[in-house]
Amino acid sequence: MVSRLFCGRIEIDVSNMKYLAHSDYYFSYVSGPHYDDLDKNDKISPWNLLFHIETELSGPHNPDATSKLYPAFYFPVSKTESTVIGFTRFIQMTILPAYHQQSHWNLTIQKDHWYSYLGNTSYCQDVTVKNALTDEPLVEAVFHDVNVDFETRQPSKLPEKWFREISSDQLTRSKPPQGFKQPIRPEKSYSFTTTVTSSCSDSNQHQNMAIYLKNCWDAGSAAACSNQLSQFNTDLAYYNLKQVSFLYQGEVVIGDILQVACWEHPSKSKMLCFAMTKGSEVVGQCQMEFYPNSPSMLKSNHVKAKL
């Protein structure tokens, strides 16, 4: 976690969630697990963890009450209100061992967020997730977003206000993360098909970025359970995730049919690679690395029966 001093502090409670606004560009968000957060291994699933972080990145959900309190985080998507919005290009979440070593049933988590990089048309936001009661770090994440004109879908210059108001010592990155190099997809890689539904879409009318991650997770679990992988033989929920990286390359909307290819990295143990396509267009790439010797998958002899 990065500790700094900021002028001003606001506290508000929204539906049992606590926001601590240290400034317009750095604040914390505290909550417990939500309904349906936990997977079959009683852990907050990776995509639900991403939902928690997204809630923080966008600020509280009452725009009338919070748009003035959190101007840097509240992006109205109506064309009549604003024609510019931040679209995520790349995310990376690093899951620390402590995340897998405690119960998630009543885990109170705190997300500390700050702007860490400002470019011409893009910016980075860093997040640290920790146990709110013990202060123990659990997850580190970085988001690389691009300021995009809502109508033209072209990059747009960042507001000058951000450069004036975000302190220089808060910018902990000299450049945005560059993503990853994806190995060549084997000819016989496992292919998973899914359709974008209305429940998967967000207020921008396209599939929410956390659902992209869920699609890949489902593809990996299906490949493992059908014996298509050499190092994974059951649902991914029973393996301890170490790091996930996702490169967003295209938008998908309700009704789109997606193909998600899954294969094992040829030179990195316990790493899965994914390519998501819509027709001939690649709309996303993902890599997931898992800790070796995940004991949780060995707890039951009836794991597959629970799927």
Side-chain angles (χ1 to χ4, degrees), residues 2-237:
V2 178
S3 298
R4 297 183 179 85
L5 294 177
F6 294 88
C7 295
R9 185 179 181 89
I10 302 171
E11 295 192 15
I12 87 177
D13 287 314
V14 181
S15 302
N16 298 321
M17 297 180 291
K18 191 173 187 180
Y19 294 83
L20 309 174
H22 310 284
S23 78
D24 287 344
Y25 305 94
Y26 176 92
F27 75 94
S28 302
Y29 157 56
V30 180
S31 75
H34 298 164
Y35 175 75
D36 206 29
D37 270 357
L38 303 184
D39 60 21
K40 57 175 65 70
N41 198 29
D42 298 335
K43 296 288 179 66
I44 299 175
S45 67
W47 61 91
N48 278 321
L49 176 62
L50 188 50
F51 274 134
H52 274 278
I53 295 175
E54 280 187 68
T55 301
E56 177 189 358
L57 295 180
S58 59
H61 291 297
N62 183 350
D64 294 333
T66 61
S67 58
K68 292 183 179 179
L69 295 178
Y70 302 97
F73 304 101
Y74 175 61
F75 294 101
V77 297
S78 169
K79 295 180 183 179
T80 60
E81 297 176 350
S82 174
T83 60
V84 177
I85 189 171
F87 279 103
T88 298
R89 169 194 166 268
F90 176 77
I91 65 168
Q92 185 173 78
M93 293 195 301
T94 301
I95 315 297
L96 304 178
Y99 185 83
H100 300 291
Q101 296 169 355
Q102 55 195 287
S103 171
H104 288 202
W105 279 101
N106 59 352
L107 177 63
T108 302
I109 50 179
Q110 176 173 328
K111 282 79 67 183
D112 295 317
H113 164 280
W114 64 96
Y115 277 53
S116 59
Y117 167 81
L118 294 179
N120 185 40
T121 60
S122 71
Y123 54 97
C124 289
Q125 303 176 78
D126 275 53
V127 179
T128 297
V129 180
K130 63 182 181 181
N131 185 321
L133 300 182
T134 66
D135 231 25
E136 184 175 29
L138 303 176
V139 179
E140 296 172 348
V142 58
F143 292 70
H144 182 210
D145 298 335
V146 180
N147 226 32
V148 174
D149 185 280
F150 194 89
E151 295 180 346
T152 67
R153 290 303 201 258
Q154 295 300 310
S156 177
K157 186 174 175 58
L158 295 183
E160 289 297 330
K161 177 182 178 181
W162 291 16
F163 294 91
R164 294 194 305 267
E165 297 187 359
I166 296 177
S167 60
S168 59
D169 70 331
Q170 185 174 322
L171 300 177
T172 54
R173 296 181 181 273
S174 60
K175 61 181 180 179
Q178 297 305 302
F180 51 85
K181 184 177 181 180
Q182 190 79 295
I184 297 175
R185 172 184 171 183
E187 291 185 5
K188 295 184 178 181
S189 60
Y190 182 83
S191 183
F192 181 84
T193 303
T194 185
T195 301
V196 180
T197 64
S198 60
S199 61
C200 297
S201 64
D202 56 23
S203 58
N204 298 324
Q205 306 308 317
H206 61 206
Q207 178 164 275
N208 181 274
M209 64 180 181
I211 303 298
Y212 283 74
L213 177 55
K214 184 178 186 297
N215 293 155
C216 292
W217 189 266
D218 288 342
S221 291
C225 290
S226 57
N227 299 316
Q228 300 298 309
L229 304 174
S230 65
Q231 299 186 65
F232 302 83
N233 58 21
T234 190
D235 194 299
L236 296 185

Side-chain angles (χ1 to χ4, degrees), residues 291-306:
Y291 285 101
N293 303 320
S294 299
S296 55
M297 61 171 289
L298 303 175
K299 287 182 178 179
S300 172
N301 292 327
H302 307 287
V303 168
K304 291 187 178 181
K306 297 181 179 180

